[in-house]
């Protein structure tokens, strides 16, 4: 009982501190992780085995960590090192692509293709944001897309805020389509043993239908404003930058494109080849470093180590809830209030995930919910994969509703603010909250229609 109380208190303290941002996120989770190891496992449980299971270091040295040989994965306990290694490898690849100007070139190329017309740019950048976020972290997508949008807005004389808001939403939505698109999906996939193709054929279909609705929604909301500004911009006259000017190294650009395509192929086929995402992450990261030559140390310095440490601390704290049986009790509670009704269970998972992710970080929430849906599936006889798709859509999309719901939101708003375009809570939520509700409703209906 003491261990359970301590685990809950540490977990709640971690969430409150993350929301209040008193300290950096990785400092908070690592501090809470240390408290979990000492107070929960040491003082409360007196269990060295619980510490070893949560740290989970031994999994790295097993063959299954690198090659599954067609075996199905099992729910992980404690630190999910497969997620950590994969994210680190993809960070190196993305930094390599950014260094040679890939993202800037791509955005400027598209703008040129539509003859620098504001409405076509608006529509194509939404699609581009969703597509890139399927393979690249949404934070990186928005970081470069928002910067280019601001640059184009200065050249074409329009307000970039509507475009940045739509790009943020589409990035979060696009991330829900694949296993590597958003951190919660990486955690869900590696923890429960789902492949890239599992996500693309399930959440990908939902995201694709939703993207059509979202593009129509944002067009109806913003098209008059953008048309009026575009007309004023044409009268004032414009000057544009050539896409080729964005490339810093032609050789590096070609190599980065090849590495990116290889990463996509390996991820799409990893269920067939048996290569785990951790193996793919290491391979892509090492190849990128070798190809970058003298720039390799620079790429290593640019890795977001704080995010990786944040993940590690988070997994330990959630491991405390798992080892003390708290998560099993939560699963039983959801099962009791739903009275075994599958439709109600799915609705609770989806909407609870969406609402919670609008206000708290969706990464720790997803990590917390995975053992819960695992227990629910076993106790209620519900297909685990269906619960996983509901959790993925809820956590990925729900974060779009508020400025603090997802990291991509914070990055996009900060980029706009740097250039004098302040996006306040009221303006943000007025546009984004209805879109979020719409997509969550579409997700629920499609899940009901396809799986029940």
């Amino acid at each position: 009982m003491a261990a359970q109380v301590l685990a809950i208190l540490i977990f709640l303290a971690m969430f409150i501190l993350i929301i209040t941002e008193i300290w950096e996120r990785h400092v908070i989770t690592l501090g809470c992780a240390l408290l979990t190891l000492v107070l929960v496992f040491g003082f409360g449980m007196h269990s060295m085995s619980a510490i070893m299971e949560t740290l989970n270091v031994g999994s790295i040295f097993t063959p299954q960590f690198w090659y599954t040989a067609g075996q199905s994965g099992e729910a992980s306990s404690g630190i999910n090192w497969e997620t950590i290694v994969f994210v680190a490898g993809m960070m190196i690849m993305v930094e390599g692509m950014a260094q040679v100007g890939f993202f800037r070139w791509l955005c400027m190329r598209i703008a040129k293709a539509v003859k620098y017309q504001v409405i076509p740019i608006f529509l194509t950048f939404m699609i581009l944001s969703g597509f890139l976020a399927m393979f690249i972290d949404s934070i990186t997508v928005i970081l470069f897309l928002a910067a280019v949008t601001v640059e184009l807005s200065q050249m074409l004389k329009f307000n970039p805020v509507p475009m940045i808001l739509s790009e943020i939403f589409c990035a979060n939505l696009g991330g829900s389509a694949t296993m590597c698109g958003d951190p919660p999906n990486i955690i869900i996939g590696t923890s429960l043993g789902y492949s890239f193709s599992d996500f693309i054929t399930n959440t990908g279909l939902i995201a694709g239908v939703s993207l059509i609705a979202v593009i129509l929604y944002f067009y109806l909301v913003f098209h008059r404003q953008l048309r009026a500004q575009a007309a004023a911009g044409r009268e004032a006259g414009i000057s544009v930058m050539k896409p080729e000017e964005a490339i810093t190294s032609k050789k590096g650009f070609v190599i980065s494109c090849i590495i990116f395509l290889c990463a996509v192929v390996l991820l799409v086929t990893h269920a067939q080849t048996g290569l785990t995402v951790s193996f793919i992450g290491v391979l892509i990261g090492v190849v990128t470093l070798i190809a970058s030559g003298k720039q390799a140390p620079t790429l290593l310095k640019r890795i977001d180590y704080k995010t990786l440490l944040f993940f590690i601390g988070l997994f330990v704290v959630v491991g405390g809830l798992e080892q003390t049986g708290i998560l099993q009790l939560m699963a039983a509670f959801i099962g009791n209030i739903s009275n075994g009704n599958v439709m109600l269970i799915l609705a609770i998972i989806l909407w609870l995930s969406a609402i919670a992710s609008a206000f708290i970080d969706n990464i720790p929430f997803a990590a917390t919910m995975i053992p819960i849906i695992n227990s629910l599936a076993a106790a209620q006889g519900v297909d685990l994969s269906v619960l996983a798709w509901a959790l993925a859509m809820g956590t990925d999309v729900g974060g779009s509703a508020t400025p603090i719901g997802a990291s991509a939101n914070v990055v996009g708003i900060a980029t706009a603010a740097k250039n004098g375009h302040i996006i306040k809570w009221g303006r943000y939520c007025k546009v984004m909250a209805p879109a979020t509700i719409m997509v969550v409703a579409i997700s629920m209906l499609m899940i009901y229609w396809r799986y029940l």
Side-chain angles (χ1 to χ4, degrees), residues 135-197:
F135 308 100
I136 300 171
D137 181 73
S138 58
I139 301 172
T140 303
V141 172
I142 291 302
L143 187 63
F144 290 95
L145 205 53
V148 174
T149 298
V150 169
E151 185 174 334
L152 285 172
S153 73
Q154 293 169 348
M155 290 191 296
L156 305 179
K157 315 298 183 187
F158 67 88
N159 186 343
V161 170
M163 208 173 288
I164 289 174
L165 290 176
S166 64
E167 289 162 2
I168 289 171
F169 196 97
C170 289
N172 289 330
L173 179 59
S176 69
T178 65
M179 179 178 165
C180 61
D182 214 24
N185 288 16
I186 299 172
I187 296 172
I188 292 170
T190 54
S191 297
L192 302 179
Y194 297 130
S195 67
F196 185 95
S197 59

Side-chain angles (χ1 to χ4, degrees), residues 33 70 176 189 270 284 352:
S176 69
H270 81 93
I284 293 300
L352 174 64

Side-chain angles (χ1 to χ4, degrees), residues 19-134:
I19 294 170
T20 55
E21 297 181 341
I22 296 175
W23 297 298
E24 292 188 82
R25 294 194 311 169
H26 70 287
V27 174
I28 294 169
T29 59
L30 288 174
C32 291
L34 181 60
L35 289 176
T36 298
L37 293 174
V38 175
L39 298 180
V40 177
F41 299 146
F43 175 76
M45 297 177 64
H46 305 288
S47 175
M48 181 57 70
S49 62
I51 294 176
M52 298 305 295
E53 286 177 17
T54 301
L55 294 178
N56 199 26
V57 177
S59 65
I60 300 174
F61 304 100
T62 62
Q64 292 77 17
F65 187 83
W66 306 101
Y67 181 70
T68 60
Q71 300 170 16
S72 59
E74 297 179 355
S76 68
S77 176
I79 300 176
N80 189 328
W81 290 107
E82 195 168 354
T83 295
I84 305 297
V85 170
F86 174 70
V87 171
M90 296 303 285
M91 282 180 177
I92 294 173
M93 182 194 74
V94 168
E95 288 297 335
M97 295 173 71
Q99 187 168 262
V100 297
F102 174 83
F103 300 106
R104 200 171 196 79
W105 170 85
L106 181 61
C107 293
M108 298 304 295
R109 191 74 187 175
I110 290 175
K112 183 180 180 181
V114 297
K115 299 178 180 179
Y116 299 99
Q117 298 179 60
V118 176
I119 295 298
I121 290 175
F122 174 62
L123 297 174
T124 52
F125 272 32
M126 278 195 283
I127 297 172
L128 177 64
S129 179
F131 176 76
L132 287 177
M134 291 172 62

Side-chain angles (χ1 to χ4, degrees), residues 92-93 96 99 251-252 255-256 259 282-297 299-300:
I92 294 173
M93 182 194 74
Q99 187 168 262
K251 180 182 177 182
I255 293 173
S256 292
I259 292 174
V282 170
L283 178 64
I284 293 300
V286 170
V287 171
T288 301
L289 291 173
I290 293 173
S292 62
K294 295 180 180 179
Q295 295 299 318
L299 294 185
L300 288 173

Side-chain angles (χ1 to χ4, degrees), residues 247-295:
I247 300 174
T248 59
S249 168
K250 291 184 179 180
K251 180 182 177 182
F253 179 85
V254 172
I255 293 173
S256 292
C257 289
I258 293 172
I259 292 174
F260 175 67
L261 291 174
C262 289
V264 173
V265 171
L266 288 172
L267 286 168
V268 170
T269 60
H270 81 93
Q272 289 73 37
T273 62
L275 300 176
T276 63
V277 292
S278 48
F279 178 88
I280 295 170
V282 170
L283 178 64
I284 293 300
V286 170
V287 171
T288 301
L289 291 173
I290 293 173
S292 62
K294 295 180 180 179
Q295 295 299 318

